[in-house]
Amino acid sequence: MKHTLIEPILIRLPNWVGDVCMSLPVLKLLESQGVPYSICARPWAQDLLSGMAVESFIPITGKFFNDVSTLRKWHRKNPQYHRGLLLPDSLSSALLFRLSGFRSAGYRDDGRGLLLSWPRDKPTPRPHAVQSWFDLAQQTLNDWRIPTPLGAPAGPLDLPLTAHHRQKANAAIGRAGLVSGDFVLIAPTATGLHRGQIKVWPHFAQLTVALQSRGVRVVMCPPATEQQEAKQAAPSAELLEPLGLGAFTALTRLARLVVCNDSGASHLSAAVQAQQITLFGVTDPARTAPWTTNSVNLGQNGQWPSSKDVIAQAIDILARH
């Protein structure tokens, strides 16, 4: 239950799908402490988080002056909001809130300390991203005299899916002649580069053929903008129609196994405890591994796992589940 005497908080979420998933413990912490909150984030996050207890959602596009105008207009209609919690480390996120009339808390980084009313140094050594943002939220709530026990996030991410999300996912597999638990879902794409390096494991085609030779149906459900890339990565995989993020997350729960890069798909799967294999080659599992006990993480920063190892692990998991 929300406490009406607690001042509401505006949360600026990160810009990447996986990072938004790893922010879920922060939102759950606010809800557990009865703190009303609104969210400022990229437009796609609204569907993904539609099952959360969000008072208001303010979509921003990354066009700075347009975002300032949008947030100022929202603030004039919601004057009860005075404080913000910034999860991104960027200078622009701090400047956006400052110019929109919010006093904000966040990590001191990117030369933005003077823009923050409650700056904090990043912990060293750097913990997992989930723990880092959760620590920031705990410490900030205590600074704001909202007593909050310090510690690790309790339990899994547990993103609440809506009936609409589940209906869309079930309809998609029904049109493909699939039923829950009888297919492997691969996610052979990953948006952008990580420090100039491609984030895609190069052997999805071999994995797909190996599983299909054992009678396993292998499907993929990339966004429309990534369909061509997905077809090139795994030509023989079955292609499902694109889904919104919430429905795609529901789809991961219907799969017998999800195999994906360290990308948004991995964290969406983790958010609902789907069984998965997550592949690393250019990122650090210690910082960005999916926050779940249901993932087998293969590879490491600087070395992708071999196709032989991934195929063997997939066959083993399918035999046990």
Side-chain angles (χ1 to χ4, degrees), residues 274-312:
Q275 188 68 48
Q276 64 179 300
I277 295 174
T278 305
L279 308 171
F280 291 84
V282 299
T283 51
D284 182 5
R287 281 280 298 147
T288 62
W291 194 263
T292 175
T293 58
N294 286 348
S295 179
V296 174
N297 302 325
L298 300 177
Q300 58 187 316
N301 191 1
Q303 184 177 353
W304 288 108
S306 68
S307 58
K308 179 180 178 181
D309 288 345
V310 177
I311 291 168

Side-chain angles (χ1 to χ4, degrees), residues 156-239:
L157 298 180
D158 279 341
L159 173 70
L161 296 173
T162 67
H164 176 73
H165 294 152
R166 294 188 179 91
Q167 289 166 1
K168 295 287 281 186
N170 278 298
I173 68 169
R175 283 189 288 271
L178 298 164
V179 296
S180 177
D182 77 342
F183 63 95
V184 169
L185 175 66
I186 63 171
T189 62
T191 303
L193 302 175
H194 179 75
R195 298 178 180 177
Q197 296 178 293
I198 297 173
K199 299 187 293 182
V200 176
W201 183 61
H203 305 301
F204 276 101
Q206 294 96 312
L207 170 68
T208 301
V209 170
L211 294 180
Q212 289 171 330
S213 70
R214 290 166 172 80
V216 178
R217 293 184 68 178
V218 180
V219 306
M220 54 188 178
C221 184
T225 55
E226 298 176 22
Q227 282 190 342
Q228 193 58 42
E229 180 186 352
K231 290 178 183 178
Q232 292 173 351
S236 66
E238 300 177 54
L239 185 66

Side-chain angles (χ1 to χ4, degrees), residues 26-103:
V26 171
L27 304 184
K28 290 170 63 179
L29 175 66
L30 296 178
E31 293 180 8
S32 71
Q33 299 303 106
V35 181
Y37 68 93
S38 290
I39 286 174
C40 180
R42 290 288 195 259
W44 46 257
Q46 186 167 16
D47 169 65
L48 181 64
L49 302 175
S50 56
M52 303 291 293
V54 183
E55 286 200 336
S56 183
F57 185 93
I58 308 97
I60 56 172
T61 63
K63 297 180 179 179
F64 183 77
F65 292 107
N66 290 342
D67 291 340
V68 170
S69 176
T70 297
L71 195 51
R72 281 179 173 174
K73 290 177 183 177
W74 182 85
H75 198 191
R76 285 195 292 271
K77 295 178 181 179
N78 297 272
Q80 71 275 23
Y81 279 82
H82 302 285
R83 298 185 295 201
L85 176 61
L86 302 172
L87 300 190
D89 297 338
S90 63
L91 177 63
S92 61
S93 62
L95 187 59
L96 170 63
F97 270 38
R98 183 68 174 265
L99 293 179
S100 302
F102 297 95
R103 299 179 66 207

